[in-house]
Protein backbone atom coordinates (compact mmCIF):
# COMPACT_ATOMS: atom_id res chain seq x y z
CA UNK A 1 0.00 0.00 0.00
CA UNK A 2 1.25 3.47 -0.86
CA UNK A 3 2.39 5.44 2.17
CA UNK A 4 -0.05 8.15 3.27
CA UNK A 5 1.82 11.47 3.39
CA UNK A 6 0.38 12.81 6.63
CA UNK A 7 3.10 15.29 7.51
CA UNK A 8 3.60 16.46 3.93
CA UNK A 9 -0.08 17.40 3.70
CA UNK A 10 -0.19 19.01 7.14
CA UNK A 11 -0.87 22.52 5.81
CA UNK A 12 -3.81 21.32 3.74
CA UNK A 13 -5.26 19.37 6.69
CA UNK A 14 -4.95 22.28 9.09
CA UNK A 15 -6.36 24.71 6.53
CA UNK A 16 -9.38 22.48 5.98
CA UNK A 17 -9.96 22.22 9.74
CA UNK A 18 -9.69 26.00 10.19
CA UNK A 19 -12.09 26.69 7.31
CA UNK A 20 -14.69 24.32 8.75
CA UNK A 21 -14.36 25.87 12.20
CA UNK A 22 -14.66 29.36 10.69
CA UNK A 23 -17.86 28.37 8.92
CA UNK A 24 -19.24 27.13 12.24
CA UNK A 25 -18.33 30.35 14.04
CA UNK A 26 -19.91 32.44 11.30
CA UNK A 27 -23.10 30.35 11.42
CA UNK A 28 -23.34 30.81 15.19
CA UNK A 29 -22.98 34.58 14.77
CA UNK A 30 -25.53 34.72 11.95
CA UNK A 31 -28.08 32.51 13.74
CA UNK A 32 -27.39 34.07 17.16
CA UNK A 33 -26.09 30.91 18.80
CA UNK A 34 -27.49 27.41 19.02
CA UNK A 35 -31.02 26.21 18.56
CA UNK A 36 -31.40 25.20 22.17
CA UNK A 37 -34.01 22.61 23.06
CA UNK A 38 -36.37 22.76 26.01
CA UNK A 39 -33.74 20.97 28.14
CA UNK A 40 -31.32 23.89 27.89
CA UNK A 41 -33.72 26.79 27.71
CA UNK A 42 -36.34 27.48 30.31
CA UNK A 43 -39.85 27.75 28.94
CA UNK A 44 -42.67 25.74 27.44
CA UNK A 45 -42.44 23.12 24.73
CA UNK A 46 -45.53 21.80 22.97
CA UNK A 47 -45.79 19.10 20.33
CA UNK A 48 -49.06 19.54 18.47
CA UNK A 49 -50.74 17.84 15.54
CA UNK A 50 -53.25 19.41 13.23
CA UNK A 51 -56.03 16.82 12.91
CA UNK A 52 -59.78 17.17 12.33
CA UNK A 53 -62.20 16.41 15.14
CA UNK A 54 -64.31 13.39 14.22
CA UNK A 55 -66.81 13.18 17.08
CA UNK A 56 -67.52 14.28 20.63
CA UNK A 57 -68.46 11.80 23.36
CA UNK A 58 -70.45 12.61 26.53
CA UNK A 59 -71.68 10.45 29.43
CA UNK A 60 -74.64 11.05 31.72
CA UNK A 61 -74.88 7.67 33.47
CA UNK A 62 -74.25 6.85 37.09
CA UNK A 63 -70.89 5.13 36.62
CA UNK A 64 -67.38 6.41 36.08
CA UNK A 65 -66.65 6.28 32.35
CA UNK A 66 -63.11 6.52 31.03
CA UNK A 67 -62.32 6.80 27.33
CA UNK A 68 -58.83 5.85 26.12
CA UNK A 69 -56.95 4.88 22.98
CA UNK A 70 -55.41 1.41 22.98
CA UNK A 71 -53.54 0.07 19.96
CA UNK A 72 -55.17 2.49 17.55
CA UNK A 73 -58.71 1.71 18.76
CA UNK A 74 -61.04 3.39 21.24
CA UNK A 75 -61.70 1.70 24.58
CA UNK A 76 -64.47 2.59 27.03
CA UNK A 77 -64.18 1.56 30.67
CA UNK A 78 -67.25 1.71 32.90
CA UNK A 79 -66.60 1.44 36.64
CA UNK A 80 -69.45 1.10 39.14
CA UNK A 81 -70.69 -0.77 42.18
CA UNK A 82 -71.17 -3.90 40.10
CA UNK A 83 -67.53 -3.94 38.95
CA UNK A 84 -65.59 -2.83 35.90
CA UNK A 85 -66.69 -3.33 32.32
CA UNK A 86 -64.39 -2.59 29.38
CA UNK A 87 -65.69 -2.21 25.84
CA UNK A 88 -63.21 -2.03 22.95
CA UNK A 89 -64.10 -0.69 19.51
CA UNK A 90 -61.58 -2.18 17.04
CA UNK A 91 -60.85 -0.12 13.94
CA UNK A 92 -61.27 -3.24 11.81
CA UNK A 93 -64.83 -3.71 13.04
CA UNK A 94 -65.77 -0.02 13.03
CA UNK A 95 -63.76 1.45 10.12
CA UNK A 96 -65.34 4.92 10.02
CA UNK A 97 -66.30 7.50 12.62
CA UNK A 98 -69.96 7.03 11.70
CA UNK A 99 -69.70 3.32 12.53
CA UNK A 100 -67.85 4.10 15.77
CA UNK A 101 -70.46 6.64 16.88
CA UNK A 102 -73.29 4.18 16.26
CA UNK A 103 -71.53 1.57 18.41
CA UNK A 104 -70.85 4.05 21.23
CA UNK A 105 -74.49 5.17 21.30
CA UNK A 106 -75.54 1.62 22.13
CA UNK A 107 -73.99 2.00 25.60
CA UNK A 108 -76.44 3.38 28.17
CA UNK A 109 -75.61 6.95 29.15
CA UNK A 110 -73.23 7.55 26.22
CA UNK A 111 -74.12 10.14 23.58
CA UNK A 112 -72.08 11.21 20.60
CA UNK A 113 -71.99 14.08 18.17
CA UNK A 114 -70.43 13.35 14.78
CA UNK A 115 -68.45 16.08 13.01
CA UNK A 116 -67.00 14.07 10.13
CA UNK A 117 -68.33 10.53 9.80
CA UNK A 118 -66.03 9.64 6.87
CA UNK A 119 -62.80 9.76 8.89
CA UNK A 120 -60.94 6.47 9.42
CA UNK A 121 -61.06 5.31 13.04
CA UNK A 122 -57.65 3.65 12.69
CA UNK A 123 -56.11 7.13 12.68
CA UNK A 124 -57.49 8.05 16.12
CA UNK A 125 -55.13 10.25 18.19
CA UNK A 126 -54.36 9.91 21.87
CA UNK A 127 -53.43 13.46 22.75
CA UNK A 128 -52.66 15.35 25.92
CA UNK A 129 -55.57 14.66 28.32
CA UNK A 130 -56.17 11.03 27.32
CA UNK A 131 -57.37 8.78 28.89
CA UNK A 132 -60.31 11.10 29.52
CA UNK A 133 -63.00 10.83 32.18
CA UNK A 134 -66.32 11.32 30.36
CA UNK A 135 -68.86 13.78 31.76
CA UNK A 136 -71.82 15.74 30.46
CA UNK A 137 -69.28 18.07 28.85
CA UNK A 138 -68.41 16.39 25.50
CA UNK A 139 -64.87 15.08 24.99
CA UNK A 140 -63.62 15.66 21.45
CA UNK A 141 -61.83 12.81 19.65
CA UNK A 142 -59.49 13.69 16.78
CA UNK A 143 -58.33 11.63 13.83
CA UNK A 144 -55.17 12.15 11.80
CA UNK A 145 -55.76 13.09 8.19
CA UNK A 146 -53.15 14.27 5.70
CA UNK A 147 -53.60 17.92 4.76
CA UNK A 148 -51.58 20.71 3.19
CA UNK A 149 -51.01 22.89 6.24
CA UNK A 150 -47.44 24.22 6.21
CA UNK A 151 -45.13 25.39 8.95
CA UNK A 152 -45.47 28.93 7.60
CA UNK A 153 -49.20 28.82 8.33
CA UNK A 154 -48.48 27.73 11.91
CA UNK A 155 -45.94 30.55 12.27
CA UNK A 156 -48.51 32.99 10.94
CA UNK A 157 -51.07 31.75 13.46
CA UNK A 158 -48.63 32.44 16.33
CA UNK A 159 -47.13 35.57 14.80
CA UNK A 160 -48.34 37.83 17.59
CA UNK A 161 -46.41 35.93 20.29
CA UNK A 162 -42.80 37.04 20.83
CA UNK A 163 -40.01 34.47 21.01
CA UNK A 164 -41.99 31.54 19.60
CA UNK A 165 -39.99 28.95 17.60
CA UNK A 166 -41.64 26.30 15.48
CA UNK A 167 -40.25 23.16 13.83
CA UNK A 168 -41.79 20.39 11.75
CA UNK A 169 -41.59 16.93 13.35
CA UNK A 170 -41.42 13.92 11.04
CA UNK A 171 -42.96 13.98 7.58
CA UNK A 172 -44.84 17.10 6.49
CA UNK A 173 -47.97 15.00 5.82
CA UNK A 174 -48.14 14.07 9.51
CA UNK A 175 -48.92 17.70 10.40
CA UNK A 176 -46.91 17.49 13.65
CA UNK A 177 -45.16 20.64 14.88
CA UNK A 178 -42.87 21.44 17.82
CA UNK A 179 -43.57 24.82 19.44
CA UNK A 180 -41.20 26.38 21.97
CA UNK A 181 -41.55 29.64 23.80
CA UNK A 182 -40.21 31.33 26.91
CA UNK A 183 -42.51 32.53 29.68
CA UNK A 184 -42.52 36.17 30.70
CA UNK A 185 -44.07 38.19 33.47
CA UNK A 186 -46.73 36.31 35.41
CA UNK A 187 -47.30 33.68 32.72
CA UNK A 188 -47.64 30.05 33.77
CA UNK A 189 -47.47 26.80 31.86
CA UNK A 190 -51.24 26.53 31.86
CA UNK A 191 -51.90 30.10 30.73
CA UNK A 192 -49.32 29.93 27.92
CA UNK A 193 -50.66 26.57 26.72
CA UNK A 194 -54.16 28.02 26.67
CA UNK A 195 -52.97 31.10 24.75
CA UNK A 196 -51.23 29.01 22.09
CA UNK A 197 -54.21 26.65 21.84
CA UNK A 198 -56.61 29.56 21.32
CA UNK A 199 -54.44 31.01 18.56
CA UNK A 200 -54.22 27.65 16.76
CA UNK A 201 -57.97 27.06 17.14
CA UNK A 202 -58.64 30.45 15.58
CA UNK A 203 -56.40 29.60 12.63
CA UNK A 204 -57.30 25.95 11.97
CA UNK A 205 -60.71 25.54 13.55
CA UNK A 206 -61.82 24.83 17.10
CA UNK A 207 -60.77 21.40 18.41
CA UNK A 208 -58.77 20.64 15.25
CA UNK A 209 -55.37 20.84 16.97
CA UNK A 210 -54.26 18.07 19.36
CA UNK A 211 -51.57 18.61 22.01
CA UNK A 212 -49.48 15.43 21.87
CA UNK A 213 -46.86 16.43 24.45
CA UNK A 214 -46.30 19.30 26.85
CA UNK A 215 -42.96 19.98 28.57
CA UNK A 216 -42.00 22.75 30.94
CA UNK A 217 -38.50 23.48 32.21
CA UNK A 218 -37.76 26.08 34.87
CA UNK A 219 -34.76 28.44 34.68
CA UNK A 220 -32.92 26.75 37.59
CA UNK A 221 -33.15 23.31 36.03
CA UNK A 222 -32.04 24.46 32.58
CA UNK A 223 -29.03 26.35 33.96
CA UNK A 224 -27.96 23.40 36.11
CA UNK A 225 -28.29 21.07 33.11
CA UNK A 226 -26.10 23.33 30.95
CA UNK A 227 -23.49 23.53 33.71
CA UNK A 228 -23.54 19.76 34.21
CA UNK A 229 -23.18 19.09 30.47
CA UNK A 230 -20.18 21.39 30.12
CA UNK A 231 -18.54 19.91 33.20
CA UNK A 232 -19.09 16.35 31.92
CA UNK A 233 -17.31 17.14 28.65
CA UNK A 234 -14.45 18.95 30.42
CA UNK A 235 -14.08 16.11 32.93
CA UNK A 236 -13.88 13.60 30.08
CA UNK A 237 -11.11 15.62 28.41
CA UNK A 238 -9.11 15.99 31.66
CA UNK A 239 -9.34 12.27 32.43
CA UNK A 240 -8.28 11.45 28.89
CA UNK A 241 -5.30 13.79 29.25
CA UNK A 242 -4.20 12.00 32.43
CA UNK A 243 -4.71 8.55 30.91
CA UNK A 244 -2.67 9.18 27.78
CA UNK A 245 0.00 11.03 29.76
CA UNK A 246 0.47 7.93 31.92
CA UNK A 247 0.27 5.45 29.05
CA UNK A 248 2.42 7.38 26.58
CA UNK A 249 4.04 10.78 27.14
CA UNK A 250 2.93 14.34 27.71
CA UNK A 251 3.31 15.20 24.01
CA UNK A 252 0.98 12.36 23.07
CA UNK A 253 -1.59 13.51 25.64
CA UNK A 254 -1.61 17.14 24.47
CA UNK A 255 -1.84 16.06 20.81
CA UNK A 256 -4.85 13.86 21.59
CA UNK A 257 -6.62 16.59 23.53
CA UNK A 258 -6.08 19.12 20.72
CA UNK A 259 -7.54 16.67 18.21
CA UNK A 260 -10.53 15.96 20.48
CA UNK A 261 -11.15 19.68 21.00
CA UNK A 262 -11.16 20.02 17.22
CA UNK A 263 -13.74 17.21 16.95
CA UNK A 264 -16.04 18.70 19.59
CA UNK A 265 -15.86 22.22 18.17
CA UNK A 266 -16.46 20.98 14.64
CA UNK A 267 -19.48 18.93 15.69
CA UNK A 268 -20.92 21.92 17.54
CA UNK A 269 -20.29 24.03 14.43
CA UNK A 270 -22.14 21.47 12.31
CA UNK A 271 -25.08 21.48 14.74
CA UNK A 272 -25.21 25.28 14.70
CA UNK A 273 -25.01 25.41 10.90
CA UNK A 274 -27.75 22.81 10.38
CA UNK A 275 -29.90 24.38 13.14
CA UNK A 276 -30.26 21.04 14.91
CA UNK A 277 -31.76 21.16 18.37
CA UNK A 278 -29.21 21.15 21.18
CA UNK A 279 -30.49 18.83 23.90
CA UNK A 280 -29.33 16.03 26.17
CA UNK A 281 -29.02 13.90 23.03
CA UNK A 282 -26.39 16.32 21.73
CA UNK A 283 -24.31 15.84 24.87
CA UNK A 284 -24.56 12.07 24.40
CA UNK A 285 -23.41 12.41 20.78
CA UNK A 286 -20.43 14.58 21.77
CA UNK A 287 -19.31 12.16 24.49
CA UNK A 288 -19.69 9.22 22.11
CA UNK A 289 -17.61 11.06 19.52
CA UNK A 290 -14.88 11.70 22.09
CA UNK A 291 -14.70 8.01 22.92
CA UNK A 292 -14.63 6.89 19.28
CA UNK A 293 -12.05 9.44 18.15
CA UNK A 294 -9.83 8.79 21.17
CA UNK A 295 -9.81 5.05 20.52
CA UNK A 296 -8.69 5.62 16.93
CA UNK A 297 -6.00 8.07 18.03
CA UNK A 298 -4.61 5.67 20.65
CA UNK A 299 -4.33 2.88 18.05
CA UNK A 300 -2.26 5.15 15.79
CA UNK A 301 -0.10 6.50 18.64
CA UNK A 302 0.53 2.96 19.86
CA UNK A 303 1.79 2.09 16.37
CA UNK A 304 3.98 5.22 16.38
CA UNK A 305 5.56 4.13 19.66
CA UNK A 306 6.23 0.63 18.30
CA UNK A 307 7.79 1.97 15.12
CA UNK A 308 9.98 4.32 17.16
CA UNK A 309 11.42 1.26 18.95
CA UNK A 310 11.76 -0.83 15.79
CA UNK A 311 13.18 1.88 13.56
CA UNK A 312 14.91 4.46 15.80
CA UNK A 313 16.91 5.73 12.83
CA UNK A 314 13.74 7.09 11.14
CA UNK A 315 12.52 10.58 11.85
CA UNK A 316 9.24 11.10 13.68
CA UNK A 317 7.68 12.40 10.47
CA UNK A 318 8.44 9.13 8.68
CA UNK A 319 7.21 7.12 11.65
CA UNK A 320 3.81 8.81 11.75
CA UNK A 321 3.37 8.39 7.99
CA UNK A 322 4.12 4.68 8.32
CA UNK A 323 1.93 4.29 11.42
CA UNK A 324 -1.11 5.94 9.83
CA UNK A 325 -0.65 3.83 6.68
CA UNK A 326 -0.33 0.59 8.69
CA UNK A 327 -3.47 1.44 10.71
CA UNK A 328 -5.52 2.63 7.75
CA UNK A 329 -7.17 -0.71 6.96
CA UNK A 330 -8.29 -1.13 10.57
CA UNK A 331 -9.52 2.50 10.67
CA UNK A 332 -11.46 2.12 7.43
CA UNK A 333 -13.14 -1.14 8.47
CA UNK A 334 -14.16 0.12 11.90
CA UNK A 335 -15.52 3.38 10.48
CA UNK A 336 -17.51 1.72 7.70
CA UNK A 337 -18.90 -0.90 10.09
CA UNK A 338 -20.08 1.78 12.50
CA UNK A 339 -21.60 3.80 9.65
CA UNK A 340 -23.53 0.75 8.46
CA UNK A 341 -25.00 0.38 11.95
CA UNK A 342 -25.92 4.07 12.33
CA UNK A 343 -27.09 4.93 8.80
CA UNK A 344 -30.48 3.13 9.09
CA UNK A 345 -31.27 5.17 12.21
CA UNK A 346 -30.47 8.41 10.38
CA UNK A 347 -32.74 7.40 7.49
CA UNK A 348 -35.65 5.59 9.16
CA UNK A 349 -35.78 6.90 12.74
CA UNK A 350 -37.43 10.10 13.93
CA UNK A 351 -36.95 12.63 16.71
CA UNK A 352 -33.91 12.54 19.00
CA UNK A 353 -32.71 9.15 17.71
CA UNK A 354 -32.54 10.48 14.15
CA UNK A 355 -30.63 13.60 15.27
CA UNK A 356 -28.23 11.48 17.31
CA UNK A 357 -27.54 9.25 14.30
CA UNK A 358 -26.96 12.19 11.94
CA UNK A 359 -24.62 13.87 14.41
CA UNK A 360 -22.73 10.62 14.93
CA UNK A 361 -22.25 10.08 11.18
CA UNK A 362 -20.70 13.53 10.93
CA UNK A 363 -18.68 12.83 14.09
CA UNK A 364 -17.30 9.57 12.65
CA UNK A 365 -16.00 11.38 9.58
CA UNK A 366 -14.52 14.21 11.64
CA UNK A 367 -13.00 11.83 14.20
CA UNK A 368 -11.38 9.70 11.51
CA UNK A 369 -9.93 12.82 9.87
CA UNK A 370 -8.51 14.26 13.09
CA UNK A 371 -7.08 10.95 14.33
CA UNK A 372 -5.20 10.31 11.09
CA UNK A 373 -4.38 13.77 9.77
CA UNK A 374 -4.26 16.16 12.75
CA UNK A 375 -3.25 14.35 15.95
CA UNK A 376 0.00 12.90 14.43
CA UNK A 377 0.92 16.36 13.08
CA UNK A 378 0.32 17.90 16.50
CA UNK A 379 2.57 15.21 17.97
CA UNK A 380 5.43 16.18 15.65
CA UNK A 381 5.08 19.88 16.42
CA UNK A 382 4.90 19.41 20.21
CA UNK A 383 7.79 16.91 20.23
CA UNK A 384 9.98 19.30 18.22
CA UNK A 385 9.05 22.15 20.56
CA UNK A 386 10.03 20.02 23.57
CA UNK A 387 13.33 19.03 21.96
CA UNK A 388 14.11 22.64 21.09
CA UNK A 389 13.35 23.75 24.63
CA UNK A 390 15.50 20.96 26.08
CA UNK A 391 18.40 21.90 23.77
CA UNK A 392 18.16 25.54 24.81
CA UNK A 393 18.11 24.55 28.45
CA UNK A 394 21.14 22.32 27.98
CA UNK A 395 23.01 25.06 26.15
CA UNK A 396 22.26 27.62 28.86
CA UNK A 397 23.43 25.13 31.53
CA UNK A 398 26.85 24.94 29.83
Amino acid sequence: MKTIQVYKNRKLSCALACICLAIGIISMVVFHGFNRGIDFESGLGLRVQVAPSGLAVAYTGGKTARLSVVGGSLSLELRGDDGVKTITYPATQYPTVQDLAAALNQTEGVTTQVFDGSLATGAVLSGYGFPAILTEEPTVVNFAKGSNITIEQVRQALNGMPGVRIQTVGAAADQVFQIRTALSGGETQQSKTSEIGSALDAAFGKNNVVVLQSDFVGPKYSSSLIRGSVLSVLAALVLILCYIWIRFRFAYAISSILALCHDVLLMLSFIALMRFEVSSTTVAAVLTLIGYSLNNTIVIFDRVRENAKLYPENSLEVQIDSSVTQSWTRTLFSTVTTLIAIAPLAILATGDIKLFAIEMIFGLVVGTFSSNMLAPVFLVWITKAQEKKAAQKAASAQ
Side-chain angles (χ1 to χ4, degrees):
M1 181 179 178
K2 186 178 179 180
T3 302
I4 300 175
Q5 302 295 324
V6 177
Y7 192 73
K8 182 179 179 181
N9 296 316
R10 64 190 182 281
K11 293 182 179 179
L12 179 61
S13 301
C14 293
L16 179 61
C18 292
I19 291 172
C20 293
L21 288 174
I23 293 174
I25 293 173
I26 293 172
S27 65
M28 280 190 278
V29 173
V30 171
F31 295 119
H32 304 288
F34 295 103
N35 176 27
R36 292 189 294 177
I38 194 68
D39 293 348
F40 292 100
E41 187 172 39
S42 60
L44 176 66
L46 294 177
R47 180 168 295 187
V48 301
Q49 183 169 3
V50 181
S53 51
L55 77 161
V57 185
Y59 181 71
T60 56
K63 299 181 179 180
T64 300
R66 189 178 73 162
L67 189 68
S68 58
V69 178
V70 180
S73 300
L74 274 183
S75 176
L76 178 64
E77 180 185 276
L78 298 174
R79 185 182 296 270
D81 295 336
D82 56 347
V84 179
K85 180 182 179 181
T86 302
I87 308 172
T88 303
Y89 304 91
T92 54
Q93 187 175 350
Y94 308 99
T96 67
V97 168
Q98 193 67 51
D99 300 327
L100 179 62
L104 284 166
N105 287 332
Q106 294 178 6
T107 302
E108 184 180 356
V110 175
T111 57
T112 63
Q113 179 184 359
V114 178
F115 303 124
D116 188 347
S118 64
L119 293 172
T121 55
V124 63
L125 296 180
S126 177
Y128 195 69
F130 269 80
I133 302 299
L134 297 181
T135 62
E136 296 180 359
E137 183 70 23
T139 297
V140 176
V141 183
N142 297 74
F143 300 82
K145 180 181 180 181
S147 58
N148 57 354
I149 294 175
T150 65
I151 190 173
E152 293 302 326
Q153 291 176 280
V154 180
R155 289 194 176 108
Q156 185 64 31
L158 303 177
N159 191 34
M161 300 181 189
V164 175
R165 294 178 304 189
I166 305 168
Q167 290 178 310
T168 302
V169 180
D174 295 336
Q175 303 290 284
V176 180
F177 303 94
Q178 186 74 33
I179 302 172
R180 294 184 180 83
T181 181
L183 303 184
S184 59
E187 291 180 326
T188 63
Q189 178 183 4
Q190 184 176 1
S191 65
K192 196 66 177 181
T193 302
S194 178
E195 181 184 359
I196 293 174
S198 299
L200 294 176
D201 285 344
F204 306 113
K206 186 174 178 58
N207 297 324
N208 286 338
V209 178
V210 180
V211 178
L212 301 178
Q213 182 178 345
S214 178
D215 298 311
F216 175 74
V217 175
K220 290 185 178 180
Y221 176 79
S222 62
S223 61
S224 64
L225 188 58
I226 293 174
R227 184 169 57 253
S229 300
V230 173
L231 289 176
S232 65
V233 174
L234 292 178
L237 293 176
V238 171
L239 291 174
I240 289 168
L241 174 65
C242 297
Y243 165 72
I244 301 181
W245 192 350
I246 295 172
R247 178 169 176 176
F248 296 97
R249 296 199 313 267
F250 182 71
Y252 287 78
I254 295 298
S255 302
S256 300
I257 292 300
L258 289 176
L260 290 177
C261 289
H262 161 271
D263 297 343
V264 172
L265 292 175
L266 208 56
M267 175 172 276
L268 294 178
S269 300
F270 171 72
I271 293 171
L273 180 63
M274 300 302 294
R275 304 309 297 156
F276 289 154
E277 180 183 286
V278 177
S279 62
S280 302
T281 306
T282 306
V283 179
V286 170
L287 293 175
T288 305
L289 167 63
I290 289 176
Y292 177 87
S293 182
L294 174 66
N295 179 66
N296 200 13
T297 303
I298 288 178
V299 170
I300 294 173
F301 279 0
D302 201 39
R303 188 58 62 89
V304 171
R305 184 172 59 177
E306 290 178 3
N307 287 332
K309 295 178 180 178
L310 293 174
Y311 310 102
E313 69 279 3
N314 291 341
S315 64
L316 184 56
E317 292 89 334
V318 174
Q319 290 169 356
I320 65 168
D321 288 348
S322 301
S323 301
V324 171
T325 303
Q326 293 165 2
S327 306
W328 177 244
T329 301
R330 177 261 174 203
T331 300
L332 184 62
F333 283 170
S334 62
T335 302
V336 172
T337 302
T338 309
L339 285 174
I340 291 174
I342 296 178
L345 295 177
I347 298 171
L348 303 176
T350 59
D352 290 341
I353 298 298
K354 183 181 183 71
L355 287 180
F356 176 82
I358 294 174
E359 291 164 1
M360 278 308 304
I361 289 175
F362 180 81
L364 287 173
V365 176
V366 170
T368 302
F369 170 74
S370 67
S371 298
N372 290 271
M373 304 303 293
L374 292 181
V377 174
F378 294 155
L379 177 61
V380 174
W381 288 346
I382 295 173
T383 301
K384 286 186 175 181
Q386 288 179 324
E387 292 175 349
K388 183 178 179 180
K389 184 177 180 180
Q392 291 176 347
K393 186 177 181 180
S396 62
Q398 295 176 358

